[in-house]
Amino acid sequence: MTPPLQQVVDDWVAGDPDPAARAELQSLPDAELADRFAAPLTFGTAGLRGPLRAGPNGMNVAVVTRATAGIADWLQAKCLGGSVVVVGRDGRHGSAVFATTAAEVLAGAGFSVVLLPGTTPTPLLAYAVRALRAQLGVQITASHNPAGDNGYKVYLDGGAQLISPADREIEAAIAAVGPAAAVPRSPVEPAAAHSLRADYLARVAALARGTNRDLRIALTPLHGVGGNAVVEALRDAGFTDVHTVGRQFAPDPDFPTVAFPNPEEPGATDQLLDLAARVEADIAIALDPDADRCAVGVPAPDGWRMLTGDETGALLGNHLLAQQPDGSSPLVATTIVSSQMLGRIADARGARFARTLTGFKWLVRAGEGLVYAYEEAVGHCVAPDLVRDKDGISAAVVVADLAATLKSGGSTLLDALDTLAIEFGVHATAQVSRRVDHLDAITDIMANLRATLPTEIAGEPVTAEDLLDRRGQARTDAVILAGDHVRVVVRPSGTEPKLKCYLEAFEPVTSRADLPRARAAAEDALRACARFAARLE
């Protein structure tokens, strides 16, 4: 029999080591307590993520303590007790105390803990796990989520995010942990990580292989922790003409100038593009708050605009494939929700191509010989042997290298996109997202879609593939609707309460003069796809 709510709450409060959290729970009405205790946070995209609040389904000291104790138990059950583990954090509210908590719990369980000092970009944590041959990395971050959230991201041996069945095994281990207050902790002093950071930045800077450095860059870290690191990496690579958005450069957990600290969100890069126009920059670069994503802005005939993740992905994929030695059989990868252009580029360049489920935990495991992977949500892995995850800092350096190389030849990133469109056709992409208050609404929409699968979108016949029908790790909650010229992928978000629809329209191009017609036709088809997505209910 399930214990009454009050007993569950009393037991949690008695075992919560944080007096402020205990007082918060004791002040809440029954309805709010029922919500807080409805279910614990679950392992989603490589760990935990949720609102900063007391109780089992929020991010707080008790949840971080129990999660870390469960991970420690899981590692010990795999005969990895006493191994090296690395802990880092971003600059969000609660991140400092959560990182200290995780480090002290791991130390209390007998592990050799490297607690990175101060704030740390997520790619540097992923690099540290690989460089130190650690068995575990924990990064306290909620990436680009709103200011009221925080999270707990887990990397395993080799510096890649964890995947099933490890996440389910860890979840079971966490459930078996007793009260947080009873979990042993040992003090941990922050490590001296200067050489680790210097090594990472030096290797990132070395990714710029071109010879031209005549490039003016506008840049923002969106109040996150990557500003100093990306400026240093660019400077070490030879790009010294960098102008930053002053109001957004220092870490600020309140993200005061943006509604959502995500460079994909409307308005988030307005100050960056204003700066780029004022200083007459060649390109603009925005990192997300933990610096694992990189968005790129360019001057266009009608003013500055941000490239889509798919546009940047095609440019970087083509650029990096051109650097591979003959006979190397390189592999590039993207996800089921991203554009089809990278696959066409790979085929023409004699490279291998893989398409995975969404998330870099899958992309970096796409296969041997991986040289580049991206997802449409402005995540790019430009050096898989350096960081086995998306890395906005290294992507910024490679983007700058490409833009400078193009500039030396009298062209731009937009010119390069035109060249790709002429060779491979126009691939116009967009995303329609619907934020919901309750996850049941997403479940209902997906069920209704599966019950009445469309046979036509934008006047074109489409066939449906339900990825719930797949087996093993390729199975996921998504539906792909595809025709010769349109493609729509519908899936729930893995990190936010959103239903996401990923849209693509393809139009062949016969010549450079045919580009305007092809782009207009693709945009018309894309709008029709968006109308279809808006009708889902």
Side-chain angles (χ1 to χ4, degrees):
M1 180 181 297
T2 304
L5 175 62
Q6 191 59 55
Q7 180 184 334
V8 174
V9 173
D10 289 344
D11 289 345
W12 181 274
V13 169
D16 194 322
D18 183 358
R22 294 197 300 268
E24 179 184 339
L25 291 173
Q26 290 167 334
S27 70
L28 296 176
D30 289 348
E32 178 67 16
L33 286 172
D35 178 57
R36 300 281 184 102
F37 285 80
L41 287 184
T42 57
F43 266 73
T45 303
L48 302 169
R49 195 177 296 184
L52 287 159
R53 62 181 189 177
N57 67 0
M59 281 295 297
N60 53 70
V61 170
V63 165
V64 170
T65 299
R66 296 185 70 252
T68 309
I71 290 172
D73 291 342
W74 178 77
L75 286 171
Q76 288 168 335
K78 294 183 175 297
C79 300
L80 296 173
S83 55
V84 175
V85 297
V86 188
V87 179
R89 67 172 178 92
D90 66 11
R92 286 177 176 266
H93 291 296
S95 287
V97 68
F98 295 160
T100 298
T101 298
E104 291 185 350
V105 169
L106 288 163
F111 290 89
S112 177
V113 181
V114 178
L115 175 60
L116 299 179
T119 58
T120 302
T122 293
L124 178 55
L125 183 282
Y127 170 78
V129 174
R130 193 171 179 85
L132 298 175
R133 298 183 180 179
Q135 292 297 325
L136 176 76
V138 173
Q139 175 77 345
I140 304 298
T141 182
S143 189
H144 56 280
N145 275 37
D149 289 356
N150 212 324
Y152 185 107
K153 193 170 187 178
V154 179
Y155 292 86
L156 298 182
D157 178 29
Q161 299 175 32
L162 84 166
I163 58 173
S164 294
D167 51 358
R168 302 282 79 85
E169 294 169 355
I170 289 172
E171 204 163 44
I174 294 170
V177 173
V183 173
R185 294 173 58 162
S186 295
V188 177
E189 290 296 324
H194 302 298
S195 62
L196 191 72
R197 185 177 186 275
D199 290 344
Y200 165 75
L201 292 177
R203 294 188 63 182
V204 168
L207 297 173
R209 300 182 182 179
T211 57
N212 186 55
R213 296 295 182 267
D214 176 21
L215 193 75
R216 178 165 293 175
I217 302 169
L219 184 142
T220 180
L222 284 181
H223 301 292
V225 299
N228 287 326
V230 70
V231 170
E232 288 180 43
L234 288 166
R235 180 201 64 203
D236 293 348
F239 299 103
T240 57
D241 193 359
V242 179
H243 301 253
T244 61
V245 180
R247 294 181 63 198
Q248 298 177 339
F249 193 77
D252 189 329
D254 293 319
F255 306 108
T257 68
V258 290
F260 292 96
N262 180 349
E264 292 183 289
E265 290 283 345
T269 58
D270 285 355
Q271 293 194 25
L272 170 68
L273 298 184
D274 287 345
L275 172 66
R278 287 199 311 273
V279 302
E280 298 182 336
D282 296 301
I283 61 169
I285 293 173
L287 304 186
D288 73 339
D290 70 330
D292 65 353
R293 298 174 191 244
C294 175
V296 181
V298 295
D302 55 351
W304 279 81
R305 75 169 179 92
M306 300 302 292
L307 299 181
T308 68
D310 284 316
E311 288 175 320
T312 306
L315 288 169
L316 290 179
N318 189 60
H319 176 61
L320 291 169
L321 283 176
Q323 296 179 351
Q324 303 309 309
D326 293 339
S328 60
S329 186
L331 171 69
V332 292
T334 190
T335 71
I336 58 170
V337 302
S338 301
S339 170
Q340 300 173 89
M341 182 179 270
L342 183 62
R344 293 185 167 115
I345 292 172
D347 185 60
R349 307 295 185 255
R352 293 173 295 129
F353 173 72
R355 189 179 289 279
T356 74
L357 297 184
T358 55
F360 271 83
K361 61 184 180 181
W362 303 115
L363 281 171
V364 298
R365 294 177 170 91
E368 292 296 321
L370 182 68
V371 298
Y372 175 64
Y374 92 92
E375 59 184 2
E376 53 75 40
V378 296
H380 306 277
C381 177
V382 299
D385 59 338
L386 179 67
V387 173
R388 294 190 69 204
D389 195 13
K390 55 186 175 292
D391 181 351
I393 297 170
S394 60
V397 169
V398 176
V399 165
D401 186 41
L402 171 59
T405 300
L406 291 169
K407 183 180 178 181
S408 68
S411 65
T412 67
L413 293 177
L414 287 183
D415 294 330
L417 284 173
D418 285 349
T419 300
L420 289 175
I422 293 166
E423 184 175 1
F424 301 107
V426 171
H427 293 68
T429 61
Q431 183 187 134
V432 174
S433 296
R434 185 180 306 177
R435 189 177 291 271
V436 299
D437 295 326
H438 301 286
L439 294 179
D440 288 348
I442 294 177
T443 303
D444 291 343
I445 295 172
M446 294 300 297
N448 292 339
L449 173 63
R450 289 184 166 100
T452 55
L453 290 169
T455 57
E456 180 182 289
I457 297 176
E460 178 176 331
V462 295
T463 57
E465 181 184 7
D466 187 347
L467 301 194
L468 280 181
D469 293 337
R470 292 182 176 181
R471 292 187 174 185
Q473 292 182 333
R475 185 176 186 269
T476 191
D477 186 6
V479 174
I480 299 175
L481 307 164
D484 291 338
H485 296 85
V486 296
R487 187 172 183 266
V488 177
V489 184
V490 185
R491 63 179 281 271
S493 169
T495 57
E496 300 175 270
K498 287 182 177 180
L499 179 77
K500 292 189 172 183
C501 300
Y502 304 84
L503 320 176
E504 181 171 25
F506 167 72
E507 185 69 22
V509 179
T510 59
S511 65
R512 184 170 294 275
D514 188 43
L515 257 179
R517 179 212 60 82
R519 286 212 165 101
E523 289 297 330
D524 285 344
L526 203 62
R527 283 190 286 270
C529 291
R531 290 193 292 271
F532 162 80
R535 291 194 298 269
L536 294 175
E537 60 182 23

